[in-house]
């Protein structure tokens, strides 16, 4: 937090506030300026600048790292909407580099190979806000305790299969509903079970929601997938490989944007779902060896 | 009196919650035909490009202009203020604004997200002390026409303005829990 005169930057409210402004929108993975323009023209609320989309990271194997700063610069220069970029879990120097490049949000992401198997980045150290993945309420609250200003359910990235995204938002919602039914003295034990700070557990029990915006990620490939996640209670969606690994990225991107806004209107979802061309080829989760499941990364 | 909040994308829920806490009837507007019985419309913060594209696809530009012509008051916050302007500086080449208000507004005027900030504002017409302004990748109003009143400035830049039944604020009152500007919109603009 920096104060000069009556002006204060880097506050939690301006960090969470940007996420509030992204709600009801679609954040799209892009690997160059051309894709970033397509995403912006389609109505994306932000883009995620990457060297490779998750499906290609999965195919390539090996260690996946922060994108080359040249790619991040190229994307930042090419669009007027917010630009996000990913650092590896625990890699606070990659985060420092991304902040210096002027990105608007950092995703401390399980899509890349973690560098610390115990600690995430201390996100309070940064003026730039962070988004982190979660599979359940405890994981979400641990990330928020570390300073995340936004969370996203993880799903299973690069699969075009939304089953894990559904599992994770249902887990978060069910645990919030459970907390709401507890008496104050039970929240201490609940905090122990969730492995999350009591203060945040108490806040969720009292307010019946997460303290920050929660998007859905990992496997969304169609307009109906996006609307499904919205109806299940997500605030917006990330679409990674689902757009630029499909037959007609521009048309599919627009359709997913419209379905995310009109997520309760089946007639609109039907209309925008027509003639979109090939969706990305999906992967069944059971075909992915345990060690290659990205969602398991993060602690 | 029923107030609509354009709910295509962005922080529309917070506006609805604030309006309802003040006892007003509020509705999320996703299609132009839902503007029928609305006496005031809030265009919320969000991404002005994304909201603008959805407005175009669903025919909101003409609908909002027509309803405003028939007496509907309009208040835009941040992205909403951009969409209301007669001139948008640093806009995308094909970015369309409603042109309701005689203001020139500059997108992302302060820079990127690390430059987003909070500051206390003195708002003309709003009593009981300063108003906390939350500015997120905010625009500023570069100039206003003769019939437009400046309601607040920050560091010399115009951040709130009113022109009859139209109001533009470049910050986010819906994120602070302070209902004074919503009260002002209900009582002094829609109710005027």
């Amino acid at each position: 937090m920096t104060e000069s005169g009556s002006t204060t930057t880097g506050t939690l409210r301006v960090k969470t506030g940007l996420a509030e402004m992204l709600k009801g929108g679609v954040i799209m993975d892009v690997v160059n300026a051309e894709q970033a323009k397509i995403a912006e023209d389609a109505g994306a609320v932000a883009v995620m600048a990457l060297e490779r989309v998750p499906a290609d990271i999965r195919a390539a194997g090996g260690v996946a790292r922060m994108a080359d700063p040249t790619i991040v610069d190229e994307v930042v220069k090419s669009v007027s909407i917010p630009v996000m970029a990913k650092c590896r879990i625990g890699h606070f120097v990659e985060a420092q580099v991304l902040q210096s490049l002027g990105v608007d949000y950092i995703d401390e992401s399980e899509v890349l190979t973690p560098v610390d198997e115990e600690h995430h980045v201390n996100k309070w150290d940064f003026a730039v806000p962070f988004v982190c993945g979660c599979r359940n309420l405890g994981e979400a609250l641990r990330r928020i305790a570390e300073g995340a200003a936004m969370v996203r359910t993880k799903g299973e990235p690069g699969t075009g299969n939304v089953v894990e995204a559904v599992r994770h938002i249902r887990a978060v919602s069910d645990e919030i509903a459970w907390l709401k039914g507890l008496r104050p003295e039970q929240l201490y034990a609940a905090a122990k079970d969730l492995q999350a700070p009591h203060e945040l557990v108490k806040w969720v029990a009292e307010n019946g929601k997460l303290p920050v915006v929660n998007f859905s990620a990992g496997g969304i490939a169609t307009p109906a997938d996006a609307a499904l996640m919205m109806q299940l209670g997500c605030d917006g969606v990330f679409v990674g490989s689902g757009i630029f690994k499909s037959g007609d990225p521009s048309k599919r991107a627009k359709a997913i944007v419209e379905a995310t806004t009109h997520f309760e209107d089946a007639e609109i979802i039907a209309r925008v779902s027509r003639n979109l061309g090939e969706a990305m080829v999906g992967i069944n989760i059971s075909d992915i060896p345990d060690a290659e499941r990205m969602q398991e990364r993060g602690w | 009196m029923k107030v609509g909040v354009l709910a295509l994308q962005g922080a529309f829920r917070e506006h609805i919650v604030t309006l309802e806490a003040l006892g007003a009837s509020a509705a999320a507007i996703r299609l132009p035909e839902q503007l029928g019985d609305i006496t005031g419309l809030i265009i919320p913060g969000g991404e002005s490009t994304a909201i603008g594209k959805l407005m175009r696809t669903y025919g909101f530009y003409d609908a909002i202009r027509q309803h405003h012509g028939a007496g509907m008051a309009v208040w835009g916050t941040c992205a909403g203020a951009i969409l209301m302007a007669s001139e948008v500086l640093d806009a995308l080449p094909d970015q369309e604004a409603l042109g309701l208000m005689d203001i020139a507004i500059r997108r992302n005027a302060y820079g990127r997200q690390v430059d987003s900030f909070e500051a206390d504002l003195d708002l003309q017409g709003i009593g009981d002390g300063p108003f906390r302004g939350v500015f997120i990748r905010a625009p500023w109003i570069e100039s206003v026409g003769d019939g437009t009143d400046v309601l607040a400035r920050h560091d010399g830049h115009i951040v709130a303005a009113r022109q009859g039944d139209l109001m533009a604020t470049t910050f986010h009152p819906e994120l602070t829990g302070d209902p004074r500007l919503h009260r002002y919109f209900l009582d002094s603009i829609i109710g005027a």
Side-chain angles (χ1 to χ4, degrees):
Chain A
M1 220 161 74
T2 314
E3 213 158 331
S4 81
S6 62
T7 297
T8 317
T9 56
T11 64
L12 184 58
R13 189 150 58 185
V14 301
K15 289 177 174 177
T16 56
L18 179 54
E20 300 284 349
M21 296 311 135
L22 302 176
K23 283 189 304 192
V26 183
I27 300 169
M28 303 181 190
D29 279 1
V30 299
V31 300
N32 55 41
E34 184 197 352
Q35 290 188 355
K37 286 304 292 176
I38 291 171
E40 182 174 56
D41 288 344
V45 290
V47 289
M48 177 77 70
L50 287 161
E51 203 153 314
R52 284 197 279 257
V53 296
D56 290 337
I57 290 173
R58 193 177 280 291
V63 174
R65 308 176 179 93
M66 173 186 79
D68 185 319
T70 314
I71 293 174
V72 178
D73 280 343
E74 179 186 328
V75 172
V76 164
K77 285 198 188 85
S78 66
V79 292
S80 66
I81 55 178
V83 176
M84 300 184 165
K86 290 182 193 291
C87 74
R88 284 180 268 178
I89 289 173
H91 206 316
F92 50 86
V93 174
E94 285 188 350
Q96 290 163 5
V97 170
L98 291 174
Q99 177 168 269
S100 80
L101 295 175
V103 303
D104 298 293
Y105 242 93
I106 295 176
D107 183 3
E108 187 183 17
S109 178
E110 68 282 1
V111 166
L112 306 182
T113 310
V115 302
D116 189 326
E117 297 192 333
E118 264 181 279
H119 310 101
H120 283 246
V121 172
N122 179 4
K123 293 164 273 286
W124 297 111
D125 284 346
F126 292 79
V128 67
F130 279 73
V131 55
C132 289
C134 66
R135 285 166 302 168
N136 51 52
L137 182 60
E139 201 172 3
L141 296 181
R142 287 195 293 280
R143 298 295 84 81
I144 294 164
E146 295 156 3
M150 175 180 182
V151 292
R152 50 173 178 73
T153 50
K154 287 176 175 172
E156 186 58 39
T159 59
N161 184 343
V162 82
V163 63
E164 295 301 301
V166 169
R167 189 191 318 282
H168 298 158
I169 186 62
R170 284 201 185 276
V172 171
S173 305
D174 288 354
E175 285 166 323
I176 291 173
W178 165 66
L179 282 187
K180 277 172 75 180
L182 297 185
R183 295 161 54 92
E185 68 272 19
Q186 294 178 294
L187 296 176
Y188 297 97
K192 187 185 69 179
D193 291 343
L194 291 171
Q195 298 181 53
H198 170 259
E199 188 190 352
L200 287 172
V201 169
K202 184 164 166 275
W203 193 96
V204 172
E206 286 170 359
N207 292 278
K209 59 177 188 178
L210 285 170
V212 302
V213 165
N214 179 30
F215 270 45
S216 172
I220 293 163
T222 70
D225 287 351
L228 173 68
M229 300 316 299
M230 294 298 288
Q231 286 201 27
L232 286 171
C234 288
D235 294 315
V237 297
F238 283 87
V239 186
S241 320
I243 289 172
F244 289 101
K245 286 284 158 191
S246 74
D248 187 342
S250 174
K251 195 170 178 191
R252 181 167 296 265
K254 280 194 190 100
I256 292 175
V257 167
E258 287 188 49
T260 303
T261 290
H262 297 283
F263 65 92
E264 290 177 312
D265 192 326
E267 285 177 25
I268 289 179
I269 299 167
R271 178 175 57 74
V272 302
S273 299
R274 289 176 200 277
N275 304 313
L276 291 182
E278 283 292 310
M280 74 177 281
V281 179
I283 304 175
N284 288 312
I285 305 301
S286 55
D287 295 340
I288 306 172
D290 285 355
E292 290 175 23
R293 290 186 194 178
M294 293 172 175
Q295 60 176 282
E296 308 294 335
R297 300 163 169 178
W299 0 99
Chain B
M1 178 195 320
K2 190 165 153 194
V3 181
V5 182
L6 192 66
L8 298 176
Q9 189 272 315
F12 50 86
R13 204 185 308 142
E14 288 64 29
H15 279 293
I16 293 172
V17 168
T18 310
L19 290 167
E20 286 176 344
L22 290 170
S25 163
I29 306 294
R30 289 193 170 84
L31 295 168
E33 46 268 35
Q34 296 166 335
L35 290 170
D37 57 343
I38 296 297
T39 52
L41 177 72
I42 296 178
I43 307 177
E47 273 309 309
S48 62
T49 55
I51 296 173
K53 281 167 203 302
L54 287 160
M55 280 173 57
R56 187 182 303 166
T57 305
Y58 287 85
F60 269 106
Y61 281 97
D62 286 341
I64 291 173
R65 287 181 192 121
Q66 277 164 20
H67 283 273
H68 171 252
M72 180 179 77
V74 186
W75 173 21
T77 57
C78 196
I82 294 170
L83 287 159
M84 287 173 74
S86 53
E87 190 185 354
V88 183
L89 308 163
D90 294 335
L92 290 185
D94 64 337
Q95 192 167 355
E96 186 180 353
L98 286 159
L100 294 178
M101 235 178 134
D102 191 5
I103 57 175
I105 195 162
R106 186 174 296 281
R107 283 184 74 209
N108 299 338
Y110 298 91
R112 306 198 66 85
Q113 170 61 15
V114 290
D115 306 304
S116 293
F117 64 98
E118 297 183 33
D120 283 337
L121 305 172
D122 286 320
L123 271 162
Q124 205 180 91
I126 304 290
D128 298 328
F131 195 97
R132 193 68 174 163
V134 180
F135 295 82
I136 296 171
R137 285 175 49 97
W140 66 47
I141 299 170
E142 198 118 327
S143 61
V144 300
D146 289 340
T148 305
D149 297 321
V150 173
L151 299 181
R153 289 177 191 267
H154 173 72
D155 270 356
H157 299 292
I158 302 166
V159 296
R162 177 178 174 180
Q163 177 188 327
D165 59 358
L166 302 165
M167 179 164 71
T169 55
T170 62
F171 50 94
H172 294 283
E174 76 282 8
L175 295 184
T176 59
D178 185 338
R180 285 179 292 165
L181 263 170
H182 290 80
R183 167 70 68 200
Y184 178 81
F185 184 58
L186 292 172
D187 294 350
S188 303
I189 297 187
I190 301 176

